[in-house]
Amino acid sequence: MDELEKLVSEAESEIGIAQSTAELVAIETKYLGGKGSVQAQLRAIGTLQKEERPAYGARINSAKERLTDFLESRKADISAREIAVRLEAEKIDVSLPGSPMRRGSRHPLTQTMQRVKQSLIGLGFDCVEGPELEDYQFNFAALNYPEDHPAFDEQMTFYVDSDHLLRTQTTALQGRIMRTQKPPFRIATTGRCFRYEAVDATHHHSFHQVDVFMVDEGVSLADLKGTLKQFASKMFGGDVQVRFRPDFFPFVEPGVDYSIYWNDRWLELGGAGLIHPNILEAHGIDTEKYSGFAFGLGIERIHMIQNGVSDLRLYLENDLRFLAQF
Ligand code: FA5
């Protein structure tokens, strides 16, 4: 067997056992490339007799053709097999259920505050925001607290300096409104309050309140009770009864705490009363002509009652197992 035949048979056996397109490309380069060994045979042509040359050249060309055909047919087989393997590996079952994406939702207290605001807007109140960092003046002094009143101990307070504190009650907004607006007005405010409390299932250092007040001619306890009844009906549904019991807050006279009758029981909601004449007069409001009511309550308490939540610390813990329930 001469050298050309040996080369061709070697190449054929390599092509025959190659397993990948990459191997075939390497074999092609090795034998048929510009610097390949079959090509090198052409160079030997110069050593032959002139008359032998055409026949030798034809042999080389036919050997190249044979190898090229064989290579191309193996390439076609192998690449079809490779594509089949890749398709199998990348197969997607479009009928499989997708992985669920958790939807976010509003915090339960945000939801409750929105419902409170909607109910009060429906009753003709304007919703106004007040600052969380409040002047001592508005949180206490303007609300008729005498300097040494025991309420300062009850509402233990985070003071920032001697004039500023984290508001302990949304009632603090009253003075800001009365300073700038003339009656009649109906205002509601919701927001975060802070007290230096020992935290337990019903008390937190951070909680939320809504405060509502109205000043107009001839406002009486009957207006307060009627408004509370309407508000409670909107929030809790049904024809809710309201009960007053005497209570003391320096900024109302008379002062009451109030409960609603709901689901066969009396539930205490917050404090209320007629705005103390001292407060109205301090803002130049004629108490012969105008009077007002005010009430305030805890937002957490509303949500707890409505949803049977027994520990208000849950609202601040941001545990999704709790939050996702609402
Ligand atoms: C007040 O804060 C008065 N400003 C309410 C008021 C407004 C009375 C207008 C009269 C006229 P009290 O301290 O009771 O009142 O708080 C009202 C409600 O806020 C409570 O019923 C309770 O639901 C909520 N609350 C008070 N302290 C906390 C606390 N530490 N943690 C959670 N909720 C609280």
Side-chain angles (χ1 to χ4, degrees), residues 143 145 154-155 168-172 174 193-198 200 202-213 247-249 251-252 255-258 268-275 293-302 304 312:
L143 287 173
Y145 284 84
E154 279 167 33
Q155 298 201 347
T168 63
Q169 49 188 351
T170 39
T171 321
Q174 270 189 34
C193 301
F194 309 85
R195 295 186 194 177
Y196 186 48
E197 298 256 26
D200 61 25
T202 52
H203 297 88
H204 215 292
H205 49 68
S206 309
F207 57 98
H208 300 78
Q209 284 189 336
V210 50
D211 251 74
V212 180
F213 61 100
D247 200 348
F248 178 78
F249 300 92
F251 35 92
V252 284
V256 294
D257 65 38
Y258 58 93
E268 195 178 314
L269 279 192
L274 293 184
I275 298 176
F293 70 65
F295 67 89
L297 64 154
I299 299 285
E300 282 80 355
R301 177 128 177 90
I302 299 178
M304 288 170 86
L312 67 62

